[in-house]
Amino acid sequence: MLTLEWESEGLQTVGIVVIIFASLKLLHLLGLIDFSEDTVEDEMEMATVRHRPEALEQLEAQSKFTKKELQVLYRGFKNECPSGIVNEETFKEIYSQFFPQGDSTTYAHFLFNAFDTDHNGSVSFEDFIRGLSILLRGTVQEKLNWAFNLYDINKDGYITKEEMLDIMKAIYDMMGKCTYPVVKEDAPRQHVETFFQKMDKNKDGVVTIDEFIESCQKDENIMRSMQLFENVI
């Protein structure tokens, strides 16, 4: 059983850590954690999959991964996703394995939309690399921008209480019976209220990107969570 303190002060940390930790599970299930000496550069150049990835050099310039790391990432990605893209159902299957005692469907949906930056209903290798580069190697500002985009479900530049509540419910549903102590039914709403009391500086009922980043940067728990999974591959 996963032990997790569901204190109000740890609300934002929970969300951000789950984002990063769940992404690491994706790496694990795709077989991307271990390095090998084999090269896949030729595979990237000669791939006959439906979606042709960008050249290694271009992806290296656009991300914070080395050429060798990109080779390893691509090998696993191609093995598990021969078509060259990941759809939402794949995300749901992956997180259902990670959280078998909960329902990860809604959270996987939100996370998929965050990776699907061009909103075409699929996540390519390039989409995946750019998102993962931010989560694992990005600056604090980049990670917080990414997290804000996840919480801003309708992408209008603001986080509303309704959007935050949807995310919190999705996280609690995903964790299921793995939490200790067992959470109360109204816990997600209580945490949303705490979130807004802390971050909605001008009390207008929404949280802007500036309010979000300013509050997160002043929170020691969040700053620590930003560094938990750096340099894991």
Side-chain angles (χ1 to χ4, degrees):
M1 176 176 289
L2 177 64
T3 301
L4 184 62
E5 295 294 337
W6 292 90
E7 300 294 337
S8 296
E9 287 300 312
L11 169 63
Q12 297 87 359
T13 304
V14 168
I16 293 170
V17 169
V18 167
I19 293 168
I20 301 174
F21 195 47
S23 299
L24 292 185
K25 184 59 178 181
L26 184 60
L27 287 177
H28 174 69
L29 290 177
L30 291 178
L32 306 181
I33 298 300
D34 295 327
F35 288 115
S36 74
E37 296 302 320
D38 298 332
T39 179
V40 295
E41 187 171 6
D42 290 340
E43 293 181 23
M44 293 199 67
E45 297 300 326
M46 302 297 294
T48 58
V49 295
R50 188 166 63 231
H51 176 83
R52 175 184 287 275
E54 297 173 5
L56 276 176
E57 292 76 11
Q58 186 174 349
L59 280 177
E60 186 177 7
Q62 295 175 350
S63 72
K64 300 186 181 183
F65 294 120
T66 66
K67 186 175 181 179
K68 182 179 178 64
E69 289 170 334
L70 288 170
Q71 289 173 342
V72 175
L73 288 166
Y74 181 69
R75 181 186 297 112
F77 192 91
K78 184 186 175 187
N79 286 342
E80 296 298 325
C81 310
S83 67
I85 59 175
V86 178
N87 59 31
E88 187 171 330
E89 289 306 311
T90 302
F91 262 63
K92 291 178 179 179
E93 291 173 6
I94 288 170
Y95 293 120
S96 67
Q97 295 178 52
F98 189 22
F99 298 99
Q101 296 182 347
D103 181 359
S104 60
T105 302
T106 303
Y107 186 80
H109 167 73
F110 291 141
L111 194 63
F112 177 84
N113 286 341
F115 273 99
D116 181 17
T117 54
D118 54 7
H119 309 297
N120 65 353
S122 63
V123 173
S124 66
F125 181 64
E126 294 90 338
D127 293 331
F128 181 65
I129 287 299
R130 292 180 186 118
L132 201 64
S133 176
I134 291 173
L135 289 173
L136 299 183
R137 303 280 173 83
T139 65
V140 169
Q141 179 90 13
E142 289 172 333
K143 291 177 182 178
L144 292 177
N145 277 326
W146 202 95
F148 181 88
N149 179 63
L150 174 73
Y151 296 142
D152 179 17
I153 296 174
N154 67 359
K155 313 306 178 192
D156 66 352
Y158 302 95
I159 299 175
T160 65
K161 286 187 178 182
E162 290 75 17
E163 287 174 321
M164 179 55 63
L165 183 59
D166 286 343
I167 296 291
M168 283 294 101
K169 285 182 177 178
I171 291 174
Y172 281 119
D173 289 344
M174 181 170 62
M175 300 304 297
K177 299 177 182 180
C178 296
T179 61
Y180 180 83
V182 177
V183 299
K184 298 179 181 179
E185 186 175 348
D186 63 344
R189 189 172 298 277
Q190 290 177 355
H191 283 168
V192 169
E193 291 299 326
T194 300
F195 176 93
F196 271 81
Q197 289 174 11
K198 184 175 183 179
M199 293 196 171
D200 183 11
K201 302 296 185 182
N202 61 0
K203 307 303 178 186
D204 63 351
V206 296
V207 173
T208 66
I209 182 65
D210 291 336
E211 289 174 325
F212 181 81
I213 290 177
E214 179 183 354
S215 298
C216 287
Q217 288 179 331
K218 293 179 180 179
D219 190 303
E220 293 183 1
N221 289 329
I222 294 177
M223 290 301 96
R224 282 197 298 270
S225 75
M226 293 290 93
Q227 302 172 358
L228 287 179
F229 303 109
E230 291 181 353
N231 299 317
V232 298
I233 62 172

